[in-house]
Amino acid sequence: MSSGRLELKVKRVSSRKRTRDALKTPLIPLSKGRGDPCPQLCPTGSRICSSMEEKQALEFCSDSEDLFGDYDSILEDSSLLAKLDDAEQKERQRDVLPSAQNNAVDQPDFPGLRPTKETIAQKQSSVDVLSDSILDGLGDEPFEDLPPSQLLFQEQMKESVKRSRLQNGEKTSTPSRDTDRNSESSEDNKSKRVARRSVADQLKKTMLCNAATPSSVSRTAVLKEAVVSEEISVAMQAMETVSSQITDLGPFFGLPSKVKDLMYKLRGIQTLYDWQQTCLNLDCVQQRKNLIYSLPTSGGKTLVAEILILRELLCRKKDCLFILPYISLVQEKVRGLASFGLELDFMVEEYAGSKGKFPPVKRRDKTSLYIATIEKSHSLVNSLIEMNRMENLGLVVVDELHMLGDGSRGAIIEMTLAKVLYTSKRTQIIGMSATLGNIKDLQTFLKAENYTNDFRPVELKEYVKLNDSIYNVNPKEEECFSLCRPLNFKYSSGMQKMDPDHIIALVTEVIPAHSCLVFCPTKKNCENVAGMICKYLREDFLQHRQEEKSLLLQQLRDSGNGALCPVLRKTVPYGLAYHHSGLTSEERKLVEEAYSNGVLCLLACTSTLAAGINLPARRVILRSPYVATDFLKRSQYKQMVGRAGRAGIDTFGESILILQEKDRNMAKTLVCAPMEKCFSNLMHEDGKGLLSLILSLVGLNITSSCSQVNDFLRGTLLHVQQEQLCVKRTLWEEVQQCIDILKEKNLIVESPDGLSLQVTRLGRATFKGSVDLTYSDVLYRDLSKGLEGLLLNSYLHLVYLVTPYDMVSQCKPDWRIYFRQFTLLSPSEQKMSAAVGVPESFVARKAAGQSVKKSLDMEVVSRMYLALVLFSLLKETNLWSVAERFQLSRGFIQTLLSSSSAFCSCVLHFTEELEELWPFRALLSELTKRLSYCVRAELIPLMEVSGVMEFRAKQLYNAGYKTLTHLANADPSVLCKSIENLFKKQANQIIASAKMLLSEKAAALQEEVDDLLMLPSDLPKPPDLELY
C-alpha cells in the first residue's frame, strides 16, 4: 500500500506549556548518561512525521522531568488499547489480501488512498514506509498543545491563503497533484512488502518526543512567548495593510484580463491609442495624484477615465463619482457601464433629475459608481461629508472640466471639487477638459498635473465658405484662409433664392453615402433648413433604406400617441431630420438611434447636440458663426467641428463654416485665436455662488468662523484668480459682505459668545434642499401659507407649490387660453387660485383685453399658468394634446415637467428639515414620482430603467414585460423579436440596466435587514454583581 502521513492527535492535559525553545535542550540517554541528542525529535509544526526508522528507538528523558510526568497515562485506558490492537490486526489482514491478488487483478484507483507529493518525498528518505490507513480519521486536526503564538500564526496564515485564493480565482499558485508519480509509487509499493510498526510502538515514540520538553516554564519564557505572539500579530496586520494597498491585479493596466475581454465584448475595443497608454502609465496616475488631461473632441478621453474608475473600484475597493453635464449623458453612461457592473460585481447608481438617494446606501460588500449631473454631484458630496463617509470616495472624475467657467453651473462644479479637496486628502480628482488658455490656473486649484495631446483618431480638415468658393483654414498663415476650390453646382434662379448659402450643394456631396450634421443658429432655422433641403433632393433618396425609415415614422407616431410632427413626416422619408430641445425626449432618442444606425444621413441641429451625446459625421457644416444673436466662442466652434470624422469608418472628417463677407475678420479670430480662458464663477450674479458655498460650509460644520471660511477659500479657483476677479473689493471683504447678507436672510447667526457661526433651521433646509438662495425665503413663505388652506382633493395646489420659480420668465401667458382653462377648474380649485393671488376676475379682464386697476404680482400669475399646464399634463399624460391646447412647444412642456420633478425633490428635502412643514413630506414624495414619469402607474417600474422612455415602456408592457423582474430576466434575442426596431446592443443595455436596478433595490433592502438585526454597539451591559 502507499505510505502516507501519520497524523496523531495527542492532547496534553498538563497546565504547563512547552515553549519552542525548550525543544532544543540537551537530553540524557537513559542507558548512557549525557550523550548524543535524540535522533528523532518531534517537528516544530503541528504535524508528526509518519516516517520513522525501523531500528529500536533509544529512550531519553530530561534532567528535570520524569518521562511521563504530568501526563495522563494512555495505557490506563484498556478499551483504547483493545481498539488499537483490533484495528491493527484488521489492517495486517488487509495488507496480505492485496499482495496475494497483485498479479491477478488490477486494483481500483481510490483518490482517498493516493499518495501525496509529501509522502513520496518521505519515501525517498526513509528505509521503510508506514501506512496511514489506521489513523486516517485523525487527518486534519491540529495539536492543541502548541504554544498560542504558533496556533495564532497558523490560523492567520490559513486565512491569508484563503483570501489569496478567493482574490485570484482559478489562478492559484497551488500545484496540482502529480498523478504519474503517484501511480509509479503505487506500483513500486505493490512489489514491496509494507513494513508496519506496532501502533503501541508508534504512540510510545511520539510520547517520548513530546515528553522530552521540560514542563516547568519560567516567567521569562512566558513573557517571551507573549512578545513573539504580539510581534506575529503586528506582522500579519502589516501584511494585510500592504496587500490592500497593492493595486496591480492584472495585465490590463493593473486590471484583470477579464476587463480587457469585456472591453472587446461590450465595446469592440481591442487596443488603446498610444496617447491613452501613455496617459495611463504616467507617474502621477500610478501615484494617484490629481490629473487634468486635455484633448480634442472625439479623441477617446472617456475611455481613460473609465479604466481609472474600474481600477479604483476593483483594486482599491473604493467608491467613485463620475460627473457629467447633462441628464442624457448620465443615462447613456449608466446604460453603458451597467454591464461592466454586473460582470465585475459593483453597483452603478444614477443621480440625475429626481433620481438618487441621499445619503447614498452604504454597502458593506460592494463598491458603487455614482454617475451624476453637476447639481446632483454637489448634493451627493454634501451628504457624504455630513455622514463622515468621504474616506469611502476614492475617485472623482469630471467631464467637461472647462465648464468651470460656465455661469452658475461652473460655480457648483468649483464648490464640489473644493469640498472634496478640503475634506478628503486621499480622494483623487481626474478632470477631462478641452484645451484651455489658462490651464495652469486649474492645475493650481486642483493641485494637479496636466497631460495634453492634439491626437485625433481621424484627421480633421477645416474649411470656410465665402461666396462661391471653399477656403482652407491654416492658422499658421497670415491670411488664415487660402483658396481650395470653387463650388461646382448648377443652381436655378429659384434654388439660388431659396438657398443663397449653397447648403444643398454642400450636403449632397456626401449624403446619402456618408453622414452630415448642419449646425443652425436657432431651433426654427433647424426645421427650415431640413425642409428646404428635402425640396431639392432627387427621388432616389426615397429608396435608400425605405423600410427602416417607414418603421421610424411609425415609432415617432406611436411615441406621440398617434400625433406626428409635420416637418419630420416630410423629411424622414428622405433620410433627414432636425434635432433640438423642441422635440420630446422620446423623439430625440429615436432620431439619434436612427442617425447612429445610418437610417438617417443628415441632421439639422443646434449647438447643444455638440455638447451632448456623441453623434459624429463625415462632414459638419456650420450654417452661421452665430448661436442665436451671439457670435460663436472658440470653445463652441471647436466642439462643433470636433464631431467631424467617425473613428473606424472615415479616413478623414471635414468642417465647413459658412461666412458672410461682414463676418470675415471676426471669423479669422475665431478659427485662429488661442483658446479662451476659464475663470471662476463664484462671484457670478452678485456672488450667488459664494453665498451658497459659505452657507453650506457652516451648515456642514466644515467651518465655523470667518477666518476658517477664509482658510477654505484658499483652496478655490476664485482664490487663484482673485487678482483678476476681485477688483472692487478684496476676497476677504467679499466674504465679510456675504456673511452679512446671510445673517440678514436669517440663514446663519453668530453664537451667543460671538466667536462662531451657526446655521439656522431655515439655512439648513436651504442647503440640504439645494434651494436657490434667491427663492428660499419665498418658498418658505409659500409653503407656510399653503398649510393654512391646503387643497387635498386635487393636485393643483401641490403642483403650484413645486412649479420652478426660474421657469416663470420663460413663458408669457396667452390670456384667452388662461381664462378657458381657468373656467374648467372646480370651485375649490378656483378658490385656491384666488387664495394664492390669481382671482378669476383678473384673468377674465385680461382675456377681454380690459385694463386692470388692481395690480397683482405677475410672477404669481405666470407661475399659476405654468401650474395649469402641469396639472393638465398629470390628468391626461398626453404631452402632444397639452402642447396643442396651450400653444406651447412639446419640448418646452417636457422641460417644464423635468424641472418641476427636480424642484419637487428639492422642496421635499427642504420640508424634511422644518418640523412645521411635516404634512408635505408624504404628499411631495408621491408627487415627485408622478412628475418624474407622468405616465400610467403600471408603466412606472419599467421607466425606472435608465433610458427607457414612455414609448419603449409601452412596447415592453404590451410584449409581456410588465415588471422590472420580467425585464431583468429577459432573453436579448427574444426581446429583439418582441420589440420592433430594437437592436441587439440596445436590448443588452436595457436588460443590464434592469438587472443593475433590481440588484440595487435588493441590496438596499438587504442592508436595511442587516441594520435591523445588527447587535447595537452601545447595548447596556449587565451590572457588575461584585459592586453590590
Side-chain angles (χ1 to χ4, degrees):
M1 290 182 64
S2 62
S3 66
R5 174 180 293 179
L6 180 60
E7 297 176 330
L8 180 63
K9 177 180 178 181
V10 179
K11 182 175 182 180
R12 295 180 62 196
V13 297
S14 171
S15 61
R16 288 177 287 178
K17 298 181 180 179
R18 294 178 290 127
T19 64
R20 290 170 295 180
D21 295 337
L23 292 173
K24 301 179 181 178
T25 56
L27 303 175
I28 303 173
L30 289 175
S31 58
K32 297 182 180 180
R34 296 187 181 273
D36 296 333
C38 176
Q40 177 77 32
L41 293 179
C42 280
T44 58
S46 62
R47 297 279 185 261
I48 296 179
C49 181
S50 62
S51 233
M52 294 186 177
E53 295 188 9
E54 190 174 16
K55 63 183 180 181
Q56 183 77 22
L58 294 175
E59 295 182 356
F60 294 90
C61 66
S62 65
D63 288 339
S64 57
E65 183 177 11
D66 182 62
L67 181 62
F68 293 105
D70 291 330
Y71 279 83
D72 289 340
S73 175
I74 194 172
L75 300 178
E76 292 177 4
D77 189 350
S78 59
S79 62
L80 175 61
L81 289 177
K83 291 176 184 177
L84 289 174
D85 288 337
D86 184 51
E88 185 175 6
Q89 290 299 327
K90 290 181 179 180
E91 194 63 18
R92 291 183 186 279
Q93 293 175 7
R94 274 175 54 187
D95 288 346
V96 174
L97 290 175
S99 62
Q101 301 173 359
N102 186 29
N103 297 326
V105 182
D106 291 336
Q107 295 297 314
D109 183 20
F110 293 105
L113 300 179
R114 291 176 186 167
T116 63
K117 289 185 176 181
E118 187 176 348
T119 307
I120 294 169
Q122 290 171 357
K123 290 199 302 184
Q124 294 172 353
S125 61
S126 177
V127 177
D128 83 322
V129 182
L130 292 178
S131 170
D132 61 348
S133 57
I134 296 179
L135 302 176
D136 272 342
L138 304 176
D140 294 324
E141 297 181 14
F143 283 113
E144 299 183 6
D145 62 335
L146 285 177
S149 63
Q150 283 187 308
L151 288 174
L152 176 63
F153 183 76
Q154 183 186 28
E155 291 172 2
Q156 291 173 334
M157 288 304 297
K158 285 183 178 179
E159 290 298 322
S160 177
V161 170
K162 286 181 181 179
R163 284 195 298 270
S164 175
R165 288 179 178 174
L166 288 174
Q167 289 177 356
N168 294 332
E170 297 179 356
K171 298 180 180 180
T172 122
S173 59
T174 305
S176 59
R177 293 189 177 189
D178 192 343
T179 54
D180 294 337
R181 288 182 60 190
N182 288 348
S183 301
E184 292 174 7
S185 300
S186 298
E187 292 298 326
D188 292 342
N189 288 341
K190 289 179 183 179
S191 63
K192 292 181 182 180
R193 180 179 180 84
V194 178
R196 179 181 303 285
R197 185 178 292 104
S198 166
V199 176
D201 291 342
Q202 178 68 27
L203 289 175
K204 186 174 181 181
K205 189 79 170 180
T206 301
M207 294 176 69
L208 280 169
C209 293
N210 284 343
T213 303
S215 57
S216 58
V217 182
S218 67
R219 178 168 177 79
T220 303
V222 173
L223 292 175
K224 183 177 180 181
E225 177 66 37
V227 171
V228 171
S229 177
E230 180 65 21
E231 289 175 349
I232 291 175
S233 177
V234 172
M236 291 300 296
Q237 291 177 4
M239 288 171 63
E240 291 181 0
T241 303
V242 171
S243 64
S244 68
Q245 293 175 351
I246 294 175
T247 59
D248 191 356
L249 292 184
F252 186 63
F253 301 101
L255 288 165
S257 297
K258 183 177 182 180
V259 176
K260 184 178 181 180
D261 297 338
L262 286 173
M263 284 291 178
Y264 178 67
K265 176 183 175 182
L266 300 175
R267 302 277 183 83
I269 298 173
Q270 287 184 291
T271 57
L272 271 62
Y273 297 129
D274 290 343
W275 84 262
Q276 292 172 329
Q277 299 185 39
T278 301
C279 186
L280 288 167
N281 289 315
L282 291 173
D283 289 341
C284 61
V285 174
Q286 301 300 324
Q287 297 167 13
R288 296 191 70 255
K289 294 180 180 179
N290 297 344
L291 173 70
I292 302 170
Y293 61 99
S294 310
L295 277 96
T297 302
S298 304
K301 296 191 293 288
T302 306
L303 180 59
V304 171
E306 290 175 352
I307 291 174
L308 293 175
I309 286 172
L310 291 175
R311 201 152 74 181
E312 195 73 20
L313 291 166
L314 303 180
C315 302
R316 297 192 71 248
K317 302 296 182 184
K318 295 290 186 179
D319 298 332
C320 297
L321 171 60
F322 198 168
I323 304 175
L324 296 163
Y326 305 110
I327 293 177
S328 60
L329 292 179
V330 170
Q331 293 174 342
E332 181 189 22
K333 193 56 64 181
V334 169
R335 291 195 302 271
L337 291 175
S339 298
F340 285 90
L342 292 172
E343 293 285 347
L344 301 173
D345 198 30
F346 62 86
M347 305 301 297
V348 179
E349 302 184 35
E350 179 181 345
Y351 281 78
S354 60
K355 291 186 178 180
K357 187 176 180 61
F358 300 103
V361 176
K362 187 176 183 180
R363 308 188 189 282
R364 295 185 179 87
D365 56 351
K366 282 190 178 183
T367 51
S368 293
L369 169 58
Y370 311 116
I371 305 180
T373 57
I374 293 170
E375 293 77 12
K376 286 291 183 177
S377 64
H378 185 221
S379 300
L380 182 65
V381 167
N382 282 345
S383 66
L384 290 175
I385 293 173
E386 187 175 23
M387 301 301 293
N388 293 319
R389 287 171 50 187
M390 280 299 292
E391 71 278 0
N392 296 330
L393 188 64
L395 176 65
V396 175
V397 175
V398 188
D399 193 12
E400 311 290 355
L401 183 64
H402 54 268
M403 288 186 68
L404 275 165
D406 186 17
S408 60
R409 302 194 84 205
I412 295 174
I413 297 175
E414 184 175 349
M415 287 189 277
T416 303
L417 296 180
K419 289 175 182 176
V420 172
L421 288 167
Y422 191 83
T423 58
S424 177
K425 304 303 180 186
R426 296 185 179 181
T427 302
Q428 185 183 16
I429 296 176
I430 302 292
M432 296 179 281
S433 172
T435 306
L436 294 172
N438 62 338
I439 196 72
K440 291 286 186 184
D441 287 354
L442 271 63
Q443 284 184 253
T444 305
F445 163 44
L446 295 178
K447 302 176 181 64
E449 297 193 23
N450 181 42
Y451 176 80
T452 303
N453 197 302
D454 58 359
F455 170 82
R456 276 186 56 88
V458 179
E459 181 188 1
L460 173 62
K461 299 179 179 180
E462 294 183 53
Y463 303 98
V464 297
K465 176 194 166 293
L466 269 168
N467 301 320
D468 296 337
S469 300
I470 303 294
Y471 294 83
N472 289 309
V473 174
N474 190 346
K476 296 180 181 179
E477 292 185 3
E478 184 177 352
E479 283 298 317
C480 196
F481 302 148
S482 60
L483 181 64
C484 175
R485 62 183 174 91
L487 268 179
N488 295 318
F489 194 88
K490 295 182 180 180
Y491 266 43
S492 65
S493 58
M495 284 184 65
Q496 184 67 35
K497 186 177 180 180
M498 288 289 296
D499 182 24
D501 294 325
H502 304 95
I503 295 175
I504 297 173
L506 294 174
V507 301
T508 51
E509 287 180 345
V510 292
I511 64 169
H514 301 285
S515 57
C516 182
L517 292 175
V518 181
F519 286 102
C520 302
T522 64
K523 289 185 285 187
K524 189 63 178 176
N525 193 234
C526 292
E527 300 175 29
N528 293 339
V529 167
M532 177 198 68
I533 295 173
C534 288
K535 289 181 180 179
Y536 298 98
L537 291 179
R538 301 186 307 271
E539 291 296 322
D540 56 353
F541 275 81
L542 295 171
Q543 310 304 320
H544 183 71
R545 305 184 72 161
Q546 185 176 7
E547 291 184 4
E548 292 164 286
K549 289 186 286 192
S550 298
L551 181 58
L552 173 61
L553 283 173
Q554 183 58 46
Q555 290 180 316
L556 288 168
R557 187 176 288 107
D558 291 341
S559 70
N561 293 314
L564 177 63
C565 171
V567 177
L568 292 178
R569 184 191 296 116
K570 178 182 177 182
T571 61
V572 167
Y574 287 92
L576 279 62
Y578 69 91
H579 185 290
H580 58 61
S581 60
L583 293 173
T584 65
S585 54
E586 290 90 343
E587 289 174 316
R588 285 199 299 270
K589 188 172 179 60
L590 287 170
V591 167
E592 290 164 1
E593 290 176 354
Y595 178 82
S596 297
N597 296 319
V599 178
L600 297 176
C601 58
L602 183 145
L603 292 182
C605 52
T606 55
S607 59
T608 54
L609 179 69
I613 191 169
N614 187 19
L615 294 175
R618 170 66 171 271
R619 176 174 288 181
V620 170
I621 299 172
L622 279 67
R623 172 74 176 76
S624 167
Y626 292 88
V627 173
T629 58
D630 299 325
F631 201 81
L632 276 178
K633 297 178 182 178
R634 180 166 171 77
S635 59
Q636 292 174 314
Y637 169 78
K638 281 295 186 183
Q639 205 166 40
M640 286 190 240
V641 301
R643 296 301 182 197
R646 298 165 297 174
I649 301 175
D650 298 324
T651 55
F652 64 91
E654 301 172 315
S655 71
I656 302 175
L657 171 62
I658 298 176
L659 294 176
Q660 306 302 321
E661 193 63 42
K662 64 182 179 67
D663 297 321
R664 182 173 186 142
N665 292 330
M666 292 181 67
K668 286 184 179 180
T669 304
L670 173 68
V671 299
C672 300
M675 294 299 294
E676 293 119 343
K677 295 184 178 181
C678 175
F679 291 101
S680 170
N681 273 270
L682 287 179
M683 300 302 298
H684 181 66
E685 295 183 6
D686 298 325
K688 184 187 293 186
L690 188 57
L691 284 167
S692 297
L693 176 59
I694 294 173
L695 175 62
S696 63
L697 291 178
V698 177
L700 292 169
N701 295 320
I702 297 175
T703 60
S704 59
S705 65
C706 296
S707 59
Q708 289 180 350
V709 170
N710 206 38
D711 289 340
F712 179 92
L713 289 176
R714 288 193 178 95
T716 63
L717 182 60
L718 175 60
H719 184 269
V720 176
Q721 300 173 334
Q722 60 178 323
E723 291 184 3
Q724 298 102 304
L725 301 177
C726 300
V727 180
K728 296 180 180 179
R729 290 184 292 269
T730 65
L731 182 56
W732 173 251
E733 291 172 343
E734 294 286 359
V735 169
Q736 290 289 349
Q737 184 180 10
C738 287
I739 291 175
D740 292 339
I741 293 174
L742 292 173
K743 289 178 181 177
E744 290 175 8
K745 287 180 172 289
N746 193 31
L747 298 176
I748 62 173
V749 294
E750 287 188 351
S751 61
D753 56 12
L755 299 178
S756 62
L757 299 172
Q758 297 175 349
V759 69
T760 64
R761 292 169 56 253
L762 179 60
R764 181 172 297 280
T766 300
F767 88 81
K768 289 288 288 289
S770 300
V771 176
D772 192 319
L773 295 183
T774 308
Y775 307 116
S776 62
D777 54 343
V778 180
L779 176 62
Y780 180 76
R781 187 168 60 249
D782 287 347
L783 291 173
S784 300
K785 185 178 180 181
L787 282 178
E788 297 174 4
L790 188 60
L791 182 66
L792 294 177
N793 63 354
S794 168
Y795 272 115
L796 181 59
H797 200 171
L798 287 174
V799 167
Y800 169 78
L801 292 173
V802 299
T803 300
Y805 294 100
D806 56 0
M807 291 287 292
V808 171
S809 60
Q810 301 181 33
C811 176
K812 292 183 179 180
D814 183 313
W815 296 108
R816 291 186 179 181
I817 296 175
Y818 202 156
F819 181 69
R820 189 182 306 123
Q821 296 303 311
F822 198 96
T823 57
L824 296 176
L825 299 177
S826 67
S828 59
E829 290 168 343
Q830 291 183 4
K831 184 179 179 180
M832 182 280 298
S833 178
V836 298
V838 188
E840 182 183 8
S841 58
F842 173 82
V843 180
R845 284 179 174 274
K846 295 293 286 185
Q850 300 175 3
S851 61
V852 181
K853 296 180 180 180
K854 185 178 180 181
S855 62
L856 296 178
D857 187 342
M858 291 307 297
E859 287 195 1
V860 173
V861 175
S862 298
R863 193 175 181 219
M864 177 56 73
Y865 185 70
L866 293 180
L868 289 175
V869 175
L870 291 169
F871 184 54
S872 299
L873 196 57
L874 284 178
K875 288 194 297 184
E876 296 185 27
T877 71
N878 188 334
L879 191 146
W880 278 80
S881 62
V882 173
E884 184 178 355
R885 183 181 310 151
F886 285 88
Q887 295 297 298
L888 297 170
S889 74
R890 54 195 184 279
F892 172 80
I893 292 180
Q894 192 159 62
T895 301
L896 173 64
L897 183 64
S898 60
S899 298
S900 300
S901 170
F903 186 60
C904 187
S905 178
C906 292
V907 176
L908 174 60
H909 294 303
F910 182 87
T911 58
E912 287 174 345
E913 299 299 322
L914 298 168
E915 186 63 33
E916 63 270 26
L917 301 179
W918 65 268
F920 286 111
R921 296 171 194 169
L923 297 171
L924 294 179
S925 179
E926 178 62 26
L927 183 60
T928 300
K929 186 179 292 188
R930 289 289 304 273
L931 289 172
S932 296
Y933 305 108
C934 198
V935 295
R936 301 196 312 268
E938 61 266 22
L939 297 180
I940 290 179
L942 297 175
M943 289 191 66
E944 288 181 343
V945 178
S946 182
V948 174
M949 304 296 181
E950 181 181 2
F951 166 63
R952 187 72 80 195
K954 288 179 180 177
Q955 284 184 313
L956 293 168
Y957 189 86
N958 293 333
Y961 300 97
K962 300 185 177 183
T963 66
L964 189 62
T965 307
H966 283 137
L967 197 54
N969 292 282
D971 182 275
S973 302
V974 176
L975 193 62
C976 289
K977 294 177 181 178
S978 304
I979 307 299
E980 286 184 320
N981 202 29
L982 182 67
F983 297 95
K984 187 71 173 287
K985 180 180 178 181
Q986 296 169 326
N988 284 325
Q989 286 185 340
I990 289 175
I991 292 171
S993 296
K995 287 181 177 179
M996 180 59 66
L997 184 59
L998 195 65
S999 175
E1000 185 181 330
K1001 289 176 177 287
L1005 291 173
Q1006 186 60 53
E1007 294 285 342
E1008 193 173 336
V1009 170
D1010 292 343
D1011 288 340
L1012 287 172
L1013 298 179
M1014 184 181 293
L1015 188 67
S1017 58
D1018 56 349
L1019 186 68
K1021 297 181 179 179
D1024 192 346
L1025 297 179
E1026 294 181 2
L1027 299 176
Y1028 298 94

